[in-house]
Amino acid sequence: MISHLASASSTAVAAGDIKLPSISYSALSPILVVFGVACLGVLLEGFLPSRLRPQVQPVVAVLGFAAALGCVVSLAGTHELTAANAVAIDGPALFIEGTLVLFGMVSVLMFAERKADPDGGALVADAASLPGQGTHRLAARNSQTEAYPLMVFAVAGMMLFAAADNLLVMFVALEILSLPLYLLSGLARRRRLLSQEAALKYFLLGAFSSAFFLYGIAMLYGYSGTVSLQGIAVSSGLLGKTDFFLYLGLGLLGIGLLFKIGAVPFHAWTPDVYQGAPTPVTAFMSAATKIAAFGALLRVLYVSFAPTQWDWRPVVWLFAILTMVVGAIVAITQRDVKRLLAYSTIAHSGFILVGVAAATQNGISSSIFYLLAYGFTSLGAFAVVMLVRSGDGEANDLGQWQGLARRSPLLAGTFAFLLFALAGIPLTSGFTGKFVVFSAAIGGNATFLVVVALVTSAIAAFFYVKIVVLMFFQEPRAEGPVVVRGSVLTYAAVGVGIAVTLMLGIYPQPVLDLAREAAQFGFVS
């Protein structure tokens, strides 16, 4: 029996029935480099002496991301389908891949602080270092260096997720990026129960969203007979076909994507996970996960469902309005800084959906520009949160931030600037991002959506200003926060966030031009 099967198999191969897919390794080089660095990180974790891992792992991760960025730059202007037409290398994919590796570099700086703090913040003040008695540095202890390969694997999955031109590949990429994030969310040891609860919630809800995503793929395959995004686009434009499975598949697929974006009503995981996860992990998720999920959403809507945009645009409008309003209003009631920033990121997801709803090329360029601008501002804001600590850990309660400007005016001023950028104040990247997104929406006949976004922006500005008032215009509590002297890595992360936020507010044109040139999916049927 076995010999018969082997003979049949060899006959089929000889007859040419089995063809290997064509793979352009140069086009896939950014993704392959990051995957390779992640695998190398696992090997280092297994065989390198524990005393060397905290020094070697971050260097390997940064060098790997730098190499991947060089590959992205070398591929500028490439439009290619590879790996049996399952992966698209085009403008949006390369822009998002480059942005992701930049976010990865900054995140490594924040992750490196974990070698001195098991809670995931900056260097810990000891018991004697209460307000008014200075700060102290502690020796490194119990590094969690496994965080580096996990984070690099997540970035690799995100890059593949945004470039996938095949729904099955997109699903595999979704799992590659999600599983490391579930683990990273539970790594905080000081707040172990809260962190493990966050990881469990994220895992369970993420599993449900992945199931919806997979069922959506099944429905779309039943409708079109293919899982290729271009094949679905061709089928959706044919007359005489029942559209039930098409819209059912899009709806189920959308649930999985909107969950990763954190759009209302699929946002419930966001505040709990952001609060419970180590702060560097929270920062990484707020920036990187969002751009990867929006990259996949844009590709699905603008490639597969371009012929039916008049059907899905009203739905995107609805989700955009719900996400902006709920995110802005609920944030006002929060007393925890990380939960407040979590609802802030929900509101920003709504603003980006305004650009998606434009259904134009300007909508694509404005959305990816906003994602880049918001990501660096968010990373900088969470890096500041890492530095403000009380005697028992991070000062997450807003009351602990009272009078921060009296203790550290530079740190308070830095955080205020980043908050103003998130609010969209002129001369910051937040203003530029909102301007281009709202302009694209108006050009796409979504003026009502822009009006709602402007009102929501005014509401959102309230809770940003509230924190500034607490820091500058109220007396500090006696048990107020200890501002911990972080390492140069923390200051570098804050500095990058400040520099990019300021640059994109004062002179954004080069990046706007780059986003405009990249805003064309190369393979739209």
Side-chain angles (χ1 to χ4, degrees):
M1 178 68 178
I2 296 176
S3 61
H4 176 71
L5 291 175
S7 175
S9 175
S10 61
T11 302
V13 172
D17 294 336
I18 298 178
K19 295 182 180 180
L20 295 177
S22 60
I23 300 178
S24 173
Y25 291 102
S26 61
L28 293 174
S29 58
I31 300 174
L32 295 177
V33 166
V34 178
F35 269 119
V37 171
C39 294
L40 177 60
V42 173
L43 294 175
L44 292 175
E45 195 66 23
F47 297 102
L48 199 67
S50 58
R51 58 186 173 80
L52 297 178
R53 292 175 202 159
Q55 289 75 39
V56 175
Q57 287 280 28
V59 173
V60 170
V62 169
L63 291 178
F65 285 138
L69 181 62
C71 293
V72 171
V73 172
S74 68
L75 291 171
T78 301
H79 293 275
E80 184 175 349
L81 279 174
T82 186
N85 297 335
V87 180
I89 306 301
D90 53 17
L94 291 173
F95 187 94
I96 291 171
E97 288 176 7
T99 304
L100 282 170
V101 296
L102 289 173
F103 288 168
M105 289 182 188
V106 179
S107 298
V108 168
L109 302 179
M110 300 172 69
F111 274 62
E113 289 296 347
R114 294 183 60 79
K115 68 183 180 183
D117 178 12
D119 190 34
L123 297 170
V124 184
D126 65 17
S129 181
L130 296 175
Q133 299 184 29
T135 60
H136 301 270
R137 297 172 67 91
L138 293 183
R141 54 183 180 181
N142 296 329
S143 300
Q144 290 177 305
T145 51
E146 67 272 18
Y148 295 104
L150 286 173
M151 189 264 284
V152 177
F153 265 120
V155 172
M158 293 170 186
M159 294 169 71
L160 183 59
F161 191 52
D165 199 64
N166 180 292
L167 291 178
L168 285 180
V169 174
M170 191 175 287
F171 175 75
V172 172
L174 175 63
E175 296 307 299
I176 293 174
L177 75 90
S178 297
L179 293 175
L181 294 179
Y182 301 151
L183 296 173
L184 289 169
S185 298
L187 287 183
R189 290 197 295 263
R190 185 187 297 274
R191 296 171 287 110
R192 181 175 298 174
L193 291 179
L194 185 62
S195 183
Q196 291 177 352
E197 178 187 353
L200 183 60
K201 287 181 178 178
Y202 193 17
F203 170 71
L204 291 177
L205 294 175
F208 278 113
S209 72
S210 296
F212 280 111
F213 191 92
L214 194 57
Y215 275 117
I217 294 175
M219 295 299 104
L220 291 172
Y221 181 78
Y223 171 81
S224 63
T226 180
V227 291
S228 166
L229 297 186
Q230 299 173 77
I232 295 170
V234 172
S235 297
S236 64
L238 296 178
L239 297 176
K241 297 190 69 171
T242 176
D243 292 333
F244 174 76
F245 288 110
L246 176 69
Y247 295 120
L248 179 60
L250 175 58
L252 293 172
L253 207 67
I255 290 174
L257 293 171
L258 292 171
F259 173 86
K260 283 300 180 187
I261 289 167
V264 176
F266 311 107
H267 69 291
W269 65 275
T270 308
D272 292 335
V273 174
Y274 278 32
Q275 181 185 18
T279 303
V281 177
T282 302
F284 173 67
M285 288 194 297
S286 72
T289 306
K290 191 175 297 297
I291 189 171
F294 267 105
L297 179 67
L298 286 167
R299 188 170 294 277
V300 167
L301 293 180
Y302 281 72
V303 176
S304 283
F305 294 92
T308 60
Q309 65 173 257
W310 295 109
D311 297 315
W312 55 255
R313 280 190 73 192
V315 180
V316 175
W317 278 43
L318 175 63
F319 283 119
I321 293 172
L322 287 174
T323 304
M324 289 186 293
V325 172
V326 172
I329 292 178
V330 179
I332 296 175
T333 67
Q334 302 302 309
R335 294 291 305 172
D336 185 279
V337 174
K338 289 172 72 174
R339 289 184 71 89
L340 186 149
L341 291 175
Y343 279 104
S344 166
T345 197
I346 291 171
H348 282 281
S349 294
F351 296 139
I352 301 169
L353 284 173
V354 172
V356 175
T360 62
Q361 189 170 340
N362 285 337
I364 301 173
S365 64
S366 63
S367 296
I368 59 179
F369 175 85
Y370 196 115
L371 287 162
L372 183 148
Y374 168 78
F376 278 107
T377 305
S378 180
L379 288 170
F382 279 108
V384 173
V385 172
M386 290 170 57
L387 293 174
V388 182
R389 306 181 68 83
S390 62
D392 59 349
E394 290 179 353
N396 288 332
D397 185 84
L398 280 180
Q400 296 174 297
W401 289 67
Q402 287 184 199
L404 180 63
R406 308 288 178 88
R407 302 178 185 275
S408 179
L410 179 61
L411 191 65
T414 298
F415 196 50
F417 174 76
L418 293 170
L419 291 175
F420 286 141
L422 293 173
I425 301 301
L427 299 183
T428 66
S429 61
F431 174 80
T432 308
K434 288 184 178 179
F435 179 82
V436 295
V437 162
F438 295 166
S439 298
I442 292 174
N445 297 318
T447 305
F448 174 75
L449 200 56
V450 174
V451 172
V452 176
L454 290 172
V455 174
T456 309
S457 297
I459 297 172
F462 174 80
F463 58 79
Y464 295 125
V465 173
K466 179 176 70 173
I467 300 178
V468 176
V469 170
L470 280 173
M471 293 190 298
F472 285 90
F473 300 105
Q474 293 194 16
E475 292 295 325
R477 287 183 177 181
E479 68 280 7
V482 176
V483 181
V484 180
R485 181 164 55 93
S487 77
V488 66
L489 301 178
T490 310
Y491 293 131
V494 176
V496 170
I498 287 284
V500 175
T501 299
L502 190 61
M503 182 195 73
L504 295 182
I506 296 176
Y507 187 58
Q509 198 57 50
V511 182
L512 285 173
D513 292 339
L514 181 63
R516 190 172 296 111
E517 292 174 4
Q520 177 62 54
F521 291 105
F523 309 96
V524 180
S525 298

